[in-house]
Amino acid sequence: MNMKRLFISLAIITIFSLFFVSCYYDNEEALYPTLSSACDTNNVTFSITIVTILNNNCYSCHSNTTAASQGNNIALQNYTDVVAQSAQITTSVKHTGSISPMPKNGGSISACSITQLDIWVRKGMLNN
Ligand code: HEC
């Protein structure tokens, strides 16, 4: 093999390697488009993950004590209440227009929080 052929072979191998590396990153981005690597999608629990999201963004209007005056009587504090409202909760935070966008008069909760709510619902809404 002369030097020219060796060089061309190495160039082809390099180009193919780069191609596969970029495909790998493409797939990662397709899976979790806007999530930072700090978003924990593995350990999603009701008592910690979900209650923290609701506490930080929703309980000013939807706790057991604020629901009547601020939250249209929709309390999202007890586990059974959250389960009963789960479909509306996950839709309302996505601001799709089909349901009143939440948090009301606020911005959006983070993409990580939206994903964690979806994961909790998809995994069967465990009381964990
Ligand atoms: C500033 C008060 C306020 C905050 C904060 C708030 N909500 Fe609401 N929410 C309301 C009010 C008031 C309604 C009644 C509908 C309306 O006025 O848009 C409502 C309605 C809802 C509904 C029923 C929507 C429907 O059309 O059936 C859901 C589900 C809901 N909120 C979930 C949430 C979640 C989840 C959060 C936190 C991410 C949140 N809300 C934060 C005030 C609030």
Side-chain angles (χ1 to χ4, degrees):
M1 198 188 273
N2 63 29
M3 285 307 285
K4 193 176 172 190
R5 282 196 157 184
L6 180 65
F7 178 77
I8 291 172
S9 309
L10 285 175
I12 289 173
I13 290 169
T14 307
I15 289 166
F16 268 94
S17 312
L18 287 174
F19 177 74
F20 284 117
V21 168
S22 25
C23 281
Y24 175 75
Y25 283 118
D26 283 351
N27 286 339
E28 286 280 294
E29 284 164 11
L31 264 177
Y32 298 116
T34 48
L35 296 187
S36 77
S37 52
C39 184
D40 187 351
T41 53
N42 294 316
N43 305 304
V44 174
T45 65
F46 177 74
S47 61
I48 296 175
T49 321
I50 302 305
V51 168
T52 301
I53 294 169
L54 298 176
N55 187 35
N56 289 341
N57 302 287
C58 318
Y59 286 171
S60 56
C61 303
H62 294 293
S63 77
N64 288 340
T65 51
T66 59
S69 58
Q70 309 290 324
N72 208 27
N73 273 318
I74 302 168
L76 302 175
Q77 192 166 353
N78 299 352
Y79 170 76
T80 47
D81 292 333
V82 178
V83 169
Q85 291 287 325
S86 60
Q88 292 91 325
I89 292 170
T90 51
T91 307
S92 69
V93 295
K94 288 173 191 152
H95 297 194
T96 59
S98 61
I99 187 171
S100 198
M102 293 291 144
K104 192 170 179 69
N105 303 328
S108 275
I109 63 172
S110 71
C112 178
S113 297
I114 293 174
T115 304
Q116 288 170 327
L117 285 165
D118 278 338
I119 289 171
W120 179 71
V121 171
R122 199 170 65 234
K123 289 192 168 173
M125 299 187 271
L126 302 180
N127 190 1
N128 53 3

PDB file of all heavy atoms in Angstrom, residues 57-58 60-62 70 72 74 76 85 88-89 92-93 99-100 102-104 109, ligand 1:
ATOM      1  N   ASN A  57     -44.938  25.432  42.023  1.00  0.00           N
ATOM      2  CA  ASN A  57     -45.610  26.131  40.928  1.00  0.00           C
ATOM      3  C   ASN A  57     -47.127  26.260  41.053  1.00  0.00           C
ATOM      4  O   ASN A  57     -47.732  27.057  40.340  1.00  0.00           O
ATOM      5  CB  ASN A  57     -45.310  25.421  39.598  1.00  0.00           C
ATOM      6  CG  ASN A  57     -43.823  25.336  39.308  1.00  0.00           C
ATOM      7  OD1 ASN A  57     -43.202  26.323  38.975  1.00  0.00           O
ATOM      8  ND2 ASN A  57     -43.253  24.144  39.466  1.00  0.00           N
ATOM      9  N   CYS A  58     -47.740  25.457  41.918  1.00  0.00           N
ATOM     10  CA  CYS A  58     -49.202  25.351  41.858  1.00  0.00           C
ATOM     11  C   CYS A  58     -49.915  25.563  43.191  1.00  0.00           C
ATOM     12  O   CYS A  58     -51.092  25.935  43.202  1.00  0.00           O
ATOM     13  CB  CYS A  58     -49.595  23.977  41.314  1.00  0.00           C
ATOM     14  SG  CYS A  58     -48.587  23.409  39.916  1.00  0.00           S
ATOM     15  N   SER A  60     -49.825  27.745  45.441  1.00  0.00           N
ATOM     16  CA  SER A  60     -50.312  29.076  45.805  1.00  0.00           C
ATOM     17  C   SER A  60     -51.798  29.187  45.462  1.00  0.00           C
ATOM     18  O   SER A  60     -52.515  29.997  46.048  1.00  0.00           O
ATOM     19  CB  SER A  60     -49.501  30.160  45.092  1.00  0.00           C
ATOM     20  OG  SER A  60     -49.528  29.958  43.693  1.00  0.00           O
ATOM     21  N   CYS A  61     -52.272  28.360  44.531  1.00  0.00           N
ATOM     22  CA  CYS A  61     -53.692  28.373  44.155  1.00  0.00           C
ATOM     23  C   CYS A  61     -54.384  27.015  44.312  1.00  0.00           C
ATOM     24  O   CYS A  61     -55.604  26.958  44.380  1.00  0.00           O
ATOM     25  CB  CYS A  61     -53.840  28.810  42.706  1.00  0.00           C
ATOM     26  SG  CYS A  61     -53.134  30.422  42.325  1.00  0.00           S
ATOM     27  N   HIS A  62     -53.625  25.928  44.316  1.00  0.00           N
ATOM     28  CA  HIS A  62     -54.260  24.601  44.312  1.00  0.00           C
ATOM     29  C   HIS A  62     -53.893  23.732  45.505  1.00  0.00           C
ATOM     30  O   HIS A  62     -53.928  22.508  45.426  1.00  0.00           O
ATOM     31  CB  HIS A  62     -53.897  23.842  43.022  1.00  0.00           C
ATOM     32  CG  HIS A  62     -54.440  24.442  41.763  1.00  0.00           C
ATOM     33  ND1 HIS A  62     -55.776  24.480  41.456  1.00  0.00           N
ATOM     34  CD2 HIS A  62     -53.814  25.044  40.716  1.00  0.00           C
ATOM     35  CE1 HIS A  62     -55.963  25.063  40.276  1.00  0.00           C
ATOM     36  NE2 HIS A  62     -54.789  25.428  39.808  1.00  0.00           N
ATOM     37  N   GLN A  70     -58.461  30.587  45.364  1.00  0.00           N
ATOM     38  CA  GLN A  70     -57.577  30.932  44.234  1.00  0.00           C
ATOM     39  C   GLN A  70     -57.641  29.954  43.068  1.00  0.00           C
ATOM     40  O   GLN A  70     -57.286  30.324  41.950  1.00  0.00           O
ATOM     41  CB  GLN A  70     -56.099  30.970  44.706  1.00  0.00           C
ATOM     42  CG  GLN A  70     -55.840  31.816  45.936  1.00  0.00           C
ATOM     43  CD  GLN A  70     -55.989  33.288  45.647  1.00  0.00           C
ATOM     44  OE1 GLN A  70     -55.641  33.747  44.571  1.00  0.00           O
ATOM     45  NE2 GLN A  70     -56.533  34.033  46.595  1.00  0.00           N
ATOM     46  N   ASN A  72     -60.178  27.766  41.780  1.00  0.00           N
ATOM     47  CA  ASN A  72     -61.418  27.232  41.212  1.00  0.00           C
ATOM     48  C   ASN A  72     -61.832  25.924  41.876  1.00  0.00           C
ATOM     49  O   ASN A  72     -62.396  25.024  41.233  1.00  0.00           O
ATOM     50  CB  ASN A  72     -61.243  27.024  39.695  1.00  0.00           C
ATOM     51  CG  ASN A  72     -62.544  27.145  38.942  1.00  0.00           C
ATOM     52  OD1 ASN A  72     -63.461  27.832  39.376  1.00  0.00           O
ATOM     53  ND2 ASN A  72     -62.641  26.457  37.815  1.00  0.00           N
ATOM     54  N   ILE A  74     -60.055  23.499  42.718  1.00  0.00           N
ATOM     55  CA  ILE A  74     -59.292  22.322  42.282  1.00  0.00           C
ATOM     56  C   ILE A  74     -58.072  22.189  43.194  1.00  0.00           C
ATOM     57  O   ILE A  74     -57.124  22.969  43.090  1.00  0.00           O
ATOM     58  CB  ILE A  74     -58.842  22.475  40.815  1.00  0.00           C
ATOM     59  CG1 ILE A  74     -60.057  22.671  39.907  1.00  0.00           C
ATOM     60  CG2 ILE A  74     -58.024  21.264  40.370  1.00  0.00           C
ATOM     61  CD1 ILE A  74     -59.711  23.125  38.498  1.00  0.00           C
ATOM     62  N   LEU A  76     -54.810  20.157  44.404  1.00  0.00           N
ATOM     63  CA  LEU A  76     -53.861  19.202  43.832  1.00  0.00           C
ATOM     64  C   LEU A  76     -52.826  18.797  44.874  1.00  0.00           C
ATOM     65  O   LEU A  76     -51.641  18.692  44.597  1.00  0.00           O
ATOM     66  CB  LEU A  76     -53.157  19.827  42.617  1.00  0.00           C
ATOM     67  CG  LEU A  76     -54.065  20.301  41.481  1.00  0.00           C
ATOM     68  CD1 LEU A  76     -53.248  21.009  40.409  1.00  0.00           C
ATOM     69  CD2 LEU A  76     -54.844  19.130  40.880  1.00  0.00           C
ATOM     70  N   GLN A  85     -56.896  14.304  38.678  1.00  0.00           N
ATOM     71  CA  GLN A  85     -56.691  15.444  37.774  1.00  0.00           C
ATOM     72  C   GLN A  85     -55.493  15.243  36.847  1.00  0.00           C
ATOM     73  O   GLN A  85     -55.096  16.180  36.141  1.00  0.00           O
ATOM     74  CB  GLN A  85     -56.447  16.714  38.606  1.00  0.00           C
ATOM     75  CG  GLN A  85     -57.639  17.217  39.375  1.00  0.00           C
ATOM     76  CD  GLN A  85     -58.666  17.865  38.452  1.00  0.00           C
ATOM     77  OE1 GLN A  85     -58.315  18.501  37.476  1.00  0.00           O
ATOM     78  NE2 GLN A  85     -59.935  17.668  38.755  1.00  0.00           N
ATOM     79  N   GLN A  88     -55.584  16.386  33.152  1.00  0.00           N
ATOM     80  CA  GLN A  88     -55.686  17.844  33.010  1.00  0.00           C
ATOM     81  C   GLN A  88     -54.387  18.524  33.433  1.00  0.00           C
ATOM     82  O   GLN A  88     -53.999  19.529  32.837  1.00  0.00           O
ATOM     83  CB  GLN A  88     -56.849  18.372  33.863  1.00  0.00           C
ATOM     84  CG  GLN A  88     -58.227  17.958  33.367  1.00  0.00           C
ATOM     85  CD  GLN A  88     -58.701  16.659  33.997  1.00  0.00           C
ATOM     86  OE1 GLN A  88     -57.921  15.750  34.255  1.00  0.00           O
ATOM     87  NE2 GLN A  88     -59.986  16.557  34.257  1.00  0.00           N
ATOM     88  N   ILE A  89     -53.739  17.976  34.448  1.00  0.00           N
ATOM     89  CA  ILE A  89     -52.472  18.582  34.898  1.00  0.00           C
ATOM     90  C   ILE A  89     -51.438  18.523  33.784  1.00  0.00           C
ATOM     91  O   ILE A  89     -50.836  19.539  33.416  1.00  0.00           O
ATOM     92  CB  ILE A  89     -51.935  17.864  36.163  1.00  0.00           C
ATOM     93  CG1 ILE A  89     -52.845  18.126  37.368  1.00  0.00           C
ATOM     94  CG2 ILE A  89     -50.495  18.308  36.471  1.00  0.00           C
ATOM     95  CD1 ILE A  89     -52.537  17.277  38.583  1.00  0.00           C
ATOM     96  N   SER A  92     -52.457  20.863  30.965  1.00  0.00           N
ATOM     97  CA  SER A  92     -52.462  22.299  31.278  1.00  0.00           C
ATOM     98  C   SER A  92     -51.053  22.888  31.280  1.00  0.00           C
ATOM     99  O   SER A  92     -50.875  24.040  30.890  1.00  0.00           O
ATOM    100  CB  SER A  92     -53.143  22.539  32.632  1.00  0.00           C
ATOM    101  OG  SER A  92     -52.356  22.039  33.691  1.00  0.00           O
ATOM    102  N   VAL A  93     -50.057  22.126  31.690  1.00  0.00           N
ATOM    103  CA  VAL A  93     -48.693  22.679  31.763  1.00  0.00           C
ATOM    104  C   VAL A  93     -48.019  22.751  30.396  1.00  0.00           C
ATOM    105  O   VAL A  93     -46.967  23.377  30.257  1.00  0.00           O
ATOM    106  CB  VAL A  93     -47.788  21.877  32.739  1.00  0.00           C
ATOM    107  CG1 VAL A  93     -48.307  21.999  34.164  1.00  0.00           C
ATOM    108  CG2 VAL A  93     -47.654  20.422  32.316  1.00  0.00           C
ATOM    109  N   ILE A  99     -56.791  23.548  26.841  1.00  0.00           N
ATOM    110  CA  ILE A  99     -57.181  23.597  28.249  1.00  0.00           C
ATOM    111  C   ILE A  99     -56.502  24.834  28.841  1.00  0.00           C
ATOM    112  O   ILE A  99     -55.494  25.304  28.313  1.00  0.00           O
ATOM    113  CB  ILE A  99     -56.763  22.294  28.959  1.00  0.00           C
ATOM    114  CG1 ILE A  99     -57.303  22.217  30.385  1.00  0.00           C
ATOM    115  CG2 ILE A  99     -55.269  22.114  28.955  1.00  0.00           C
ATOM    116  CD1 ILE A  99     -57.080  20.837  30.997  1.00  0.00           C
ATOM    117  N   SER A 100     -57.071  25.367  29.906  1.00  0.00           N
ATOM    118  CA  SER A 100     -56.523  26.572  30.517  1.00  0.00           C
ATOM    119  C   SER A 100     -55.031  26.382  30.863  1.00  0.00           C
ATOM    120  O   SER A 100     -54.685  25.456  31.583  1.00  0.00           O
ATOM    121  CB  SER A 100     -57.333  26.861  31.786  1.00  0.00           C
ATOM    122  OG  SER A 100     -57.150  28.182  32.186  1.00  0.00           O
ATOM    123  N   MET A 102     -51.484  26.441  32.584  1.00  0.00           N
ATOM    124  CA  MET A 102     -51.051  26.567  33.972  1.00  0.00           C
ATOM    125  C   MET A 102     -49.532  26.569  34.038  1.00  0.00           C
ATOM    126  O   MET A 102     -48.886  25.953  33.202  1.00  0.00           O
ATOM    127  CB  MET A 102     -51.611  25.401  34.797  1.00  0.00           C
ATOM    128  CG  MET A 102     -53.119  25.434  34.941  1.00  0.00           C
ATOM    129  SD  MET A 102     -53.625  26.800  35.989  1.00  0.00           S
ATOM    130  CE  MET A 102     -55.148  27.288  35.193  1.00  0.00           C
ATOM    131  N   PRO A 103     -48.930  27.203  35.056  1.00  0.00           N
ATOM    132  CA  PRO A 103     -49.570  27.985  36.107  1.00  0.00           C
ATOM    133  C   PRO A 103     -50.246  29.234  35.556  1.00  0.00           C
ATOM    134  O   PRO A 103     -49.693  29.906  34.695  1.00  0.00           O
ATOM    135  CB  PRO A 103     -48.410  28.354  37.039  1.00  0.00           C
ATOM    136  CG  PRO A 103     -47.163  28.045  36.321  1.00  0.00           C
ATOM    137  CD  PRO A 103     -47.475  27.127  35.213  1.00  0.00           C
ATOM    138  N   LYS A 104     -51.436  29.501  36.100  1.00  0.00           N
ATOM    139  CA  LYS A 104     -52.230  30.621  35.602  1.00  0.00           C
ATOM    140  C   LYS A 104     -51.465  31.929  35.760  1.00  0.00           C
ATOM    141  O   LYS A 104     -50.890  32.207  36.791  1.00  0.00           O
ATOM    142  CB  LYS A 104     -53.550  30.692  36.381  1.00  0.00           C
ATOM    143  CG  LYS A 104     -54.558  31.634  35.734  1.00  0.00           C
ATOM    144  CD  LYS A 104     -55.916  31.486  36.387  1.00  0.00           C
ATOM    145  CE  LYS A 104     -56.922  32.441  35.771  1.00  0.00           C
ATOM    146  NZ  LYS A 104     -57.263  32.073  34.384  1.00  0.00           N
ATOM    147  N   ILE A 109     -43.682  25.954  33.384  1.00  0.00           N
ATOM    148  CA  ILE A 109     -42.745  25.221  34.232  1.00  0.00           C
ATOM    149  C   ILE A 109     -41.687  24.618  33.310  1.00  0.00           C
ATOM    150  O   ILE A 109     -41.851  24.588  32.092  1.00  0.00           O
ATOM    151  CB  ILE A 109     -43.455  24.150  35.088  1.00  0.00           C
ATOM    152  CG1 ILE A 109     -44.105  23.070  34.212  1.00  0.00           C
ATOM    153  CG2 ILE A 109     -44.506  24.801  35.980  1.00  0.00           C
ATOM    154  CD1 ILE A 109     -44.657  21.899  35.032  1.00  0.00           C
TER     155      ILE A 109
HETATM  156  C1  HEC B   1     -52.397  31.975  40.279  1.00  0.00           C
HETATM  157  C2  HEC B   1     -53.216  30.844  40.618  1.00  0.00           C
HETATM  158  C3  HEC B   1     -52.948  29.535  39.928  1.00  0.00           C
HETATM  159  C4  HEC B   1     -51.751  28.862  39.817  1.00  0.00           C
HETATM  160  C5  HEC B   1     -50.384  29.269  40.310  1.00  0.00           C
HETATM  161  C6  HEC B   1     -52.060  27.617  39.161  1.00  0.00           C
HETATM  162  N1  HEC B   1     -53.388  27.547  38.861  1.00  0.00           N
HETATM  163 FE1  HEC B   1     -54.362  26.025  37.962  1.00  0.00          FE
HETATM  164  N2  HEC B   1     -56.087  27.072  37.980  1.00  0.00           N
HETATM  165  C7  HEC B   1     -56.261  28.328  38.542  1.00  0.00           C
HETATM  166  C8  HEC B   1     -57.607  28.786  38.254  1.00  0.00           C
HETATM  167  C9  HEC B   1     -58.194  30.104  38.709  1.00  0.00           C
HETATM  168  C10 HEC B   1     -58.245  27.773  37.512  1.00  0.00           C
HETATM  169  C11 HEC B   1     -59.660  27.778  36.903  1.00  0.00           C
HETATM  170  C12 HEC B   1     -59.595  27.919  35.392  1.00  0.00           C
HETATM  171  C13 HEC B   1     -59.063  29.245  34.974  1.00  0.00           C
HETATM  172  O1  HEC B   1     -59.395  30.282  35.580  1.00  0.00           O
HETATM  173  O2  HEC B   1     -58.255  29.281  34.018  1.00  0.00           O
HETATM  174  C14 HEC B   1     -57.249  26.711  37.357  1.00  0.00           C
HETATM  175  C15 HEC B   1     -57.503  25.524  36.704  1.00  0.00           C
HETATM  176  C16 HEC B   1     -56.621  24.476  36.656  1.00  0.00           C
HETATM  177  C17 HEC B   1     -56.917  23.192  36.086  1.00  0.00           C
HETATM  178  C18 HEC B   1     -58.206  22.794  35.407  1.00  0.00           C
HETATM  179  C19 HEC B   1     -58.097  23.300  33.973  1.00  0.00           C
HETATM  180  C20 HEC B   1     -59.301  22.974  33.151  1.00  0.00           C
HETATM  181  O3  HEC B   1     -59.559  23.738  32.189  1.00  0.00           O
HETATM  182  O4  HEC B   1     -59.978  21.973  33.430  1.00  0.00           O
HETATM  183  C21 HEC B   1     -55.809  22.424  36.239  1.00  0.00           C
HETATM  184  C22 HEC B   1     -55.619  20.963  35.806  1.00  0.00           C
HETATM  185  C23 HEC B   1     -54.814  23.229  36.884  1.00  0.00           C
HETATM  186  N3  HEC B   1     -55.329  24.477  37.146  1.00  0.00           N
HETATM  187  C24 HEC B   1     -53.548  22.798  37.182  1.00  0.00           C
HETATM  188  C25 HEC B   1     -52.550  23.636  37.648  1.00  0.00           C
HETATM  189  C26 HEC B   1     -51.167  23.216  37.784  1.00  0.00           C
HETATM  190  C27 HEC B   1     -50.648  21.818  37.462  1.00  0.00           C
HETATM  191  C28 HEC B   1     -50.487  24.286  38.244  1.00  0.00           C
HETATM  192  C29 HEC B   1     -49.009  24.387  38.502  1.00  0.00           C
HETATM  193  C30 HEC B   1     -48.135  23.962  37.443  1.00  0.00           C
HETATM  194  C31 HEC B   1     -51.436  25.374  38.396  1.00  0.00           C
HETATM  195  N4  HEC B   1     -52.668  24.932  38.021  1.00  0.00           N
HETATM  196  C32 HEC B   1     -51.121  26.637  38.873  1.00  0.00           C
HETATM  197  C33 HEC B   1     -55.323  29.031  39.233  1.00  0.00           C
HETATM  198  C34 HEC B   1     -53.973  28.701  39.322  1.00  0.00           C
END
